[in-house]
Amino acid sequence: MQSLWNDQEALAFGNDPLGLRVYTSRLLGRNPSLVLHGGGNTSVKTEEKDFFGDPVSLCHVKGSGWDLATIEREGFSPVRMSALLKMAELPTMSDSDMVLQQRAAMTNPNAPAASIEAILHAILPFKFVDHSHADAIAALTCNAEGEARVREVFGNRVIVVPYVMPGFILAKTIHDLIKGRDLRAEGIEGMVLLKHGLFTFADDARKSYELHIEMVTLAEEFLARKSGNAAAPTAAAQEDLLALATLRKAVSTKRGHAQIARLLSKAEQVAYASIGEAGARGPLTPDHSIRTKRAPALIGEDIVASVDQFAQDYAAYFQRNSSGHTMLDAAPRFALWAGKGIVAFGDTVKDANIVADIAEHTAATVQLAEAVGGWQPLPEKDIFEIEYWELEQAKLRKGPAHKVHQGKVALVTGCAAGIGFACAESLAEQGAQVVGLDISPDIAEVMAKIGGIGIVVNLTNDEAVKEALSFTVREFGGIDIVVSNAGIFPKNEYLDVLQQSDWDRTISINLTSHQKLLGQVIPFVRLGIDPSIVFVGSRNFKAPGPGAAAYSCSKAALTQLCRVASLELAPHKVRVNIVHPDAVFDTKLWTQEALERSATRYGMTVEEYKTKNLMKVEIKSKDIGNMVAAMASPLFAKVTGAQIPVDGGNDRVI
Ligand SMILES: [Zn+2]
């Protein structure tokens, strides 16, 4: 591991202690094998003047909710040293009292809550303190000879701290360990917390950071020597997307709502997934259990039975360790799937990616630890205490409110603009991960605006559709919602002059491409979470107009396709409905000129023409988008085979 220190970069952060603290914190955060997603913490001690001009000693410690990789000055909480040192002297203190008193001791009450390790940072008699959960320290210390190995690698440069719960108890333990000692005179430069992580400290920002890098490098070199650089066995994944969708459904069901599933199937990940029991012994550092639970699910031949087994084991683990807690859901956060890879779950792609990062680092570290004498992480009792720690539970509860389509995967066709885009946008706003298919080369850019993925697909090309569906399931684990919208509106032609090619093309896109999509997507949708298919039809089906034979017939047949699909899919609890919009003019089909021409034909103003329905209201794309999102939601849980007009009321339809 290399030091990333750079004089020029450091200067840009300002040459004051807090500026340098921000800089070297970011350097730690930049390396995922040191800290992952909010893990680790750092501090700097300063002498300042308070608001009244009185001198005050502060410990600026990482604020909760900040990530070292991106931390700013305001990410550090300024806590009075006097209060922190006083707390360290207390014989006991509850965690919630500790959090409260830390807040009361801040010179800026608007700063974020100080890390739960603030007291520990304060009692270390050095200006800069750096703490990480380095993979190499986990591999070194998660085994029976942890302490002996630490001594072998670091000699007497570090204090070795047996595992205790982070927070007040840890601070107190270290307070007792260092009381009355002169750490400088002893040449102490850090602390190794067994089965937890590494602290280094110095009066200089660069020194403290570089000590960290040096010590982690020493641990890495030791492990490499011991393991003989044993290369991870390689294994090729066998892709089975329906099985992946089955796994996602089983996990979502246990979780109580839809989960995004990310499959990690590189050779080393497949190798790890096949490690079996060792991979499920426990996390690298207790912190991770908040996001990943104590252990992953081990998935065997029978996927659903494997997830059930995990849930039973989790309930038993809860029973063994709980004392009046309320059990969390019994769904795994990641799974080791023999022969296939690692699967990470989450309410959003972001959450699932965080779990995936942790799972990947766990994989590499456990394999290494097994190679150098056996992986022996913390006992379950200690993990339980962290998983069910009030402070950690509070952190999770702070997350955003659950949206109606959260965790769902929606496929929308023909969505580079107009009604299709509005459907994709409404679904995305309500939490769905959207994949948009369109023949337009703009689709990727358009979907990116709503956090979706766009794929250029000609829906009449079976292979291209197949590849797009495979991509969707490979990336997100399944498909729950299909909005089959793609369509064209050919030029007006009476039957006696209708070009055969116009008819054929309209039927091919407005009808046949939908039928073909159904054929390919149904196996996945059957495995969806609260699965639903919505077709976008047209008022023209019930109220056709002259000159639109191809369009009206295609939409009439599409409606019939929807009805048959609803009959066929009802036993699988897949709902199939169709929306019939009318006169949606805010799409690119309608220019101001075209509107004026049509209005004139009816002897109306444009305004009258746009609202020529019973309720005299203008229908916008977004009205259709919101309706489609509602039709895919639990509001329509018991509705299938229905035709919903969104047309402001039309006497020919009613
Ligand atoms: Zn820690």
Side-chain angles (χ1 to χ4, degrees):
M1 188 173 286
Q2 297 290 315
S3 164
L4 302 173
W5 177 279
N6 173 302
D7 286 334
Q8 286 304 107
E9 262 185 23
L11 268 179
F13 281 81
N15 224 354
D16 64 308
L18 187 55
L20 290 171
R21 179 67 286 176
V22 172
Y23 176 55
T24 55
S25 299
R26 286 195 186 187
L27 294 185
L28 285 180
R30 228 189 261 174
N31 192 329
S33 51
L34 291 177
V35 288
L36 278 173
H37 302 293
N41 43 60
T42 55
S43 66
V44 58
K45 301 181 184 77
T46 59
E47 301 297 327
E48 299 181 25
K49 291 256 189 327
D50 70 8
F51 180 77
F52 305 101
D54 296 327
V56 58
S57 303
L58 295 178
C59 183
H60 298 265
V61 61
K62 193 199 105 166
S64 115
W66 284 81
D67 197 307
L68 289 182
T70 51
I71 199 159
E72 309 270 356
R73 281 168 184 267
E74 56 269 31
F76 286 88
S77 317
V79 194
R80 290 173 199 277
M81 282 290 288
S82 54
L84 292 169
L85 296 178
K86 219 170 176 177
M87 284 191 253
E89 296 293 336
L90 294 176
T92 171
M93 188 176 200
S94 77
D95 291 315
S96 38
D97 279 347
M98 179 183 78
V99 169
L100 201 68
Q101 290 309 313
Q102 285 180 182
R103 176 158 289 283
M106 295 196 313
T107 50
N108 174 5
N110 292 328
S115 158
I116 51 156
E117 308 296 13
I119 301 174
L120 170 49
H121 280 263
I123 60 174
L124 293 167
F126 295 86
K127 195 171 177 72
F128 291 88
V129 177
D130 294 51
H131 169 47
S132 79
H133 301 146
D135 292 348
I137 298 295
L140 190 71
T141 68
C142 287
N143 62 72
E145 287 98 43
E147 181 158 4
R149 283 180 172 185
V150 172
R151 286 288 167 232
E152 194 178 338
V153 176
F154 302 117
N156 290 325
R157 296 173 68 191
V158 295
I159 295 172
V160 181
V161 186
Y163 181 81
V164 293
M165 177 109 166
F168 184 77
I169 304 172
L170 177 59
K172 194 71 197 157
T173 302
I174 290 169
H175 180 256
D176 294 344
L177 272 174
I178 63 176
K179 204 166 186 177
R181 289 169 65 177
D182 182 346
L183 301 185
R184 281 185 183 76
E186 288 182 43
I188 302 286
E189 296 167 307
M191 300 189 296
V192 174
L193 279 55
L194 298 178
K195 306 189 183 196
H196 175 166
L198 174 69
F199 275 82
T200 54
F201 26 75
D203 292 325
D204 176 80
R206 179 174 180 175
K207 177 89 192 295
S208 180
Y209 163 70
E210 289 191 337
L211 271 173
H212 216 90
I213 300 302
E214 184 203 338
M215 289 190 180
V216 172
T217 306
L218 286 172
E220 285 176 342
E221 287 168 358
F222 173 88
L223 292 163
R225 278 198 307 276
K226 281 271 179 183
S227 68
N229 284 316
T234 55
Q238 292 170 308
E239 185 171 81
D240 185 342
L241 295 174
L242 284 174
L244 175 60
T246 304
L247 173 57
R248 170 176 177 263
K249 186 178 175 73
V251 170
S252 299
T253 306
K254 288 277 182 262
R255 186 81 193 256
H257 55 258
Q259 294 283 281
I260 298 290
R262 304 295 313 257
L263 174 65
L264 313 177
S265 58
K266 284 189 286 198
E268 63 271 24
Q269 293 156 341
V270 178
Y272 174 61
S274 305
I275 199 170
E277 174 277 331
R281 280 183 210 149
L284 290 192
T285 184
D287 230 31
H288 288 175
S289 65
I290 306 302
R291 295 200 186 266
T292 63
K293 293 203 154 160
R294 190 184 68 84
L298 298 176
I299 308 298
E301 277 297 303
D302 187 335
I303 292 169
V304 176
S306 303
V307 175
D308 281 341
Q309 186 62 50
F310 176 90
Q312 281 173 30
D313 293 347
Y314 184 81
Y317 150 82
F318 178 82
Q319 288 304 332
R320 280 195 299 276
N321 295 289
S322 115
S323 49
H325 301 86
T326 304
M327 194 175 99
L328 300 171
D329 68 87
R333 298 299 185 263
F334 73 104
L336 304 183
W337 191 7
K340 301 284 194 288
I342 303 170
V343 189
F345 304 98
D347 284 1
T348 60
V349 171
K350 191 174 160 221
D351 287 350
N353 282 341
I354 290 175
V355 171
D357 281 349
I358 295 175
E360 211 178 336
H361 280 267
T362 307
T365 308
V366 170
Q367 277 175 308
L368 183 58
E370 280 288 276
V372 299
W375 172 243
Q376 192 185 309
L378 278 175
E380 68 172 34
K381 180 80 191 159
D382 293 308
I383 299 300
F384 183 87
E385 277 181 26
I386 297 288
E387 190 182 350
Y388 281 85
W389 192 9
E390 50 173 324
L391 301 181
E392 293 296 355
Q393 291 306 308
K395 256 192 230 169
L396 289 186
R397 276 196 299 273
K398 267 191 217 150
H402 198 86
K403 295 177 178 172
V404 66
H405 289 305
Q406 196 80 64
K408 288 203 186 164
V409 182
L411 189 81
V412 184
T413 69
C415 61
I419 289 175
F421 176 74
C423 294
E425 187 183 47
S426 292
L427 288 164
E429 283 165 0
Q430 296 173 25
Q433 173 61 51
V434 178
V435 177
L437 312 187
D438 202 293
I439 200 161
S440 161
D442 300 337
I443 186 67
E445 202 179 312
V446 171
M447 285 297 103
K449 283 187 216 155
I450 56 167
I453 304 273
I455 308 175
V456 180
V457 173
N458 178 342
L459 289 163
T460 62
N461 177 339
D462 295 347
E463 267 314 302
V465 170
K466 182 172 182 215
E467 190 35 55
L469 297 185
S470 299
F471 170 86
T472 305
V473 178
R474 205 179 291 128
E475 285 294 302
F476 306 118
I479 299 172
D480 309 304
I481 299 169
V482 177
V483 180
S484 205
N485 164 69
I488 55 168
F489 191 89
K491 60 181 180 284
N492 264 303
E493 288 172 316
Y494 273 54
L495 287 164
D496 52 339
V497 295
L498 173 62
Q499 299 275 319
Q500 190 58 39
S501 57
D502 286 344
W503 170 274
D504 290 344
R505 186 161 166 267
T506 308
I507 298 296
S508 162
I509 295 171
N510 291 10
L511 176 63
T512 311
S513 79
H514 294 252
Q515 166 260 323
K516 286 179 156 186
L517 175 68
L518 277 188
Q520 295 207 49
V521 85
I522 280 174
F524 293 115
V525 175
R526 274 188 199 159
L527 295 167
I529 317 303
D530 185 23
S532 171
I533 299 173
V534 182
F535 288 96
V536 177
S538 166
R539 182 263 334 204
N540 269 42
F541 156 54
K542 284 197 172 167
Y551 183 77
S552 300
C553 289
S554 69
K555 291 295 186 181
L558 187 70
T559 306
Q560 199 72 337
L561 181 68
C562 165
R563 297 172 72 199
V564 174
S566 70
L567 292 169
E568 292 186 5
L569 292 173
H572 303 283
K573 301 282 188 284
V574 180
R575 297 176 282 118
V576 190
N577 297 292
I578 186 163
V579 63
H580 287 316
D582 183 31
V584 178
F585 297 114
D586 62 343
T587 71
K588 68 178 179 189
L589 293 176
W590 289 91
T591 58
Q592 186 60 24
E593 197 191 350
L595 270 172
E596 277 164 15
R597 213 171 339 140
S598 296
T600 312
R601 201 166 351 118
Y602 282 84
M604 294 174 173
T605 64
V606 167
E607 207 40 50
E608 287 166 343
Y609 180 69
K610 278 167 120 179
T611 58
K612 62 174 179 58
N613 53 53
L614 294 175
M615 295 172 72
K616 304 273 178 261
V617 289
E618 188 185 340
I619 317 295
K620 300 203 161 160
S621 318
K622 194 65 180 166
D623 297 320
I624 316 299
N626 287 338
M627 175 56 83
V628 166
M631 289 164 77
S633 81
L635 276 179
F636 278 66
K638 295 173 186 174
V639 180
T640 195
Q643 301 175 39
I644 313 289
V646 182
D647 57 7
N650 182 306
D651 48 11
R652 291 175 63 203
V653 171
I654 291 171

